[in-house]
Amino acid sequence: MASAANTNLPILYREIVPLSSNDHADWKARPLTRLDFLRGVHAIPLTVEEFVDAQRFYPIIFSIGDEPVPLGLMGLNEGVNVFVTDDGELNTDIYIPAYVRRYPYMLVRLREDSDELSLCFDPTAGAVGPDVEGAPLFEDGKPTEDTRQLLGFCEQFEGAGQRSVQFMQELKQHNLLMEGEVSIQPEGAEQPFVYRGFQMVDEAKLRELRGDVLRKMNQSGMLALIFAHLYSLQLLRVIFARQQMTIAAAQEAAAGAPDTAETAA
């Protein structure tokens, strides 16, 4: 059973195994009902088709680098997700990104000399295996309807991902990206909390675009996506407040816990 090396894999994935009717003929799969794998993950990739839904719950920003991607922020610091509890449950109703719903599956190009994509899975997720209580992946050597639906969802995600790449290329083409920075001054704090390391749309440059360019963006739907991103940035302070509440609750719980040494005594 071949598997990809666990280096340079996308976020969430620790190992990649190609799904095979030979190797996994009697294997089954179950849905992931808990989000333990998302605990401590503060930024999740988004596709442009999700902007309208996602912008209601968390900020949409863009990664730094030459090939930026859209990200939904579920926390402002690495290792912090303000929406997922220690038990792997959501503490409020939010939009779950397709990237999360796709896990532990993904399409992978296994050969550099081929454009063919193969359906793969992460075996460390515990959702696919010979002893898993779930639905069969294959019957009579052919993919079941559930497996075909998985493949279809992953194909839709790949298509949305390509449209997201085009969106980012247009932002760069019009020089609309700028380094992002947000400064939050909590009441009673001596110094503000400053967050950097992301990109956002430069509103000043957006206003300077020619009318014909803006009209084309409006007709293509790109302008609506840009505004969804800009509106979502107001939630940076909401995420910060949730993060501070989480930290305060953890500190309060730690302060109220009995001292183990005294208990033993």
Side-chain angles (χ1 to χ4, degrees):
M1 185 188 305
S3 64
N6 59 0
T7 58
N8 300 321
L9 288 178
I11 186 173
L12 300 184
Y13 296 85
R14 291 182 286 177
E15 189 177 347
I16 291 296
V17 173
L19 188 61
S20 164
S21 59
N22 292 324
D23 295 333
H24 313 116
D26 59 348
W27 284 34
K28 298 179 180 180
R30 65 173 180 85
L32 289 173
T33 57
R34 295 165 60 87
L35 298 174
D36 302 75
F37 61 90
L38 198 57
R39 223 174 32 201
V41 180
H42 79 293
I44 294 294
L46 291 173
T47 67
V48 290
E49 296 177 1
E50 302 178 274
F51 278 22
V52 173
D53 290 324
Q55 57 94 23
R56 298 163 49 211
F57 301 100
Y58 36 78
I60 300 170
I61 53 95
F62 308 114
S63 62
I64 59 176
D66 295 332
E67 297 182 0
V69 297
L71 298 170
L73 287 182
M74 294 185 168
L76 299 188
N77 294 86
E78 288 191 18
V80 177
N81 187 318
V82 301
F83 297 108
V84 180
T85 69
D86 291 339
D87 296 326
E89 303 288 344
L90 286 177
N91 55 29
T92 186
D93 289 333
I94 61 170
Y95 173 77
I96 304 297
Y99 188 96
V100 175
R101 289 180 276 125
R102 178 187 66 161
Y103 183 77
Y105 307 95
M106 69 181 303
L107 293 178
V108 178
R109 182 176 290 106
L110 298 177
R111 293 174 47 185
E112 294 184 1
D113 60 346
S114 173
D115 291 333
E116 182 180 354
L117 298 175
S118 300
L119 182 62
C120 300
F121 66 95
D122 182 354
T124 69
V128 182
D131 301 321
V132 169
E133 294 185 4
L137 289 164
F138 299 96
E139 288 180 351
D140 299 326
K142 297 181 180 180
T144 61
E145 177 61 26
D146 287 341
T147 302
R148 289 194 293 269
Q149 289 181 5
L150 284 173
L151 176 61
F153 182 80
C154 289
E155 289 174 339
Q156 292 174 9
F157 182 84
E158 288 297 318
Q162 290 301 315
R163 290 186 286 276
S164 302
V165 170
Q166 295 171 1
F167 172 78
M168 298 307 304
Q169 289 175 342
E170 288 199 53
L171 289 182
K172 292 178 63 178
Q173 176 186 341
H174 295 294
N175 197 29
L176 287 176
L177 289 177
M178 62 179 288
E179 292 186 7
E181 178 178 312
V182 59
S183 177
I184 302 176
Q185 178 72 59
E187 184 177 351
E190 295 183 2
Q191 298 291 334
F193 288 79
V194 180
Y195 294 93
R196 302 185 182 92
F198 65 95
Q199 295 187 86
M200 57 184 288
V201 167
D202 188 329
E203 293 187 66
K205 291 183 178 179
L206 180 63
R207 288 191 291 268
E208 293 172 358
L209 288 178
R210 299 196 318 264
D212 60 326
V213 175
L214 285 172
R215 184 167 58 253
K216 183 179 178 181
M217 284 184 174
N218 185 44
Q219 292 172 343
S220 69
M222 183 177 179
L223 201 57
L225 297 175
I226 290 175
F227 285 135
H229 150 67
L230 291 172
Y231 293 151
S232 76
L233 296 180
Q234 301 176 39
L235 295 176
L236 284 165
R237 285 171 170 76
V238 175
I239 298 297
F240 176 83
R242 290 181 64 99
Q243 193 165 285
Q244 294 299 100
M245 290 174 60
T246 300
I247 294 173
Q251 291 175 340
E252 182 177 346
D259 185 89
T260 54
E262 291 182 2
T263 303

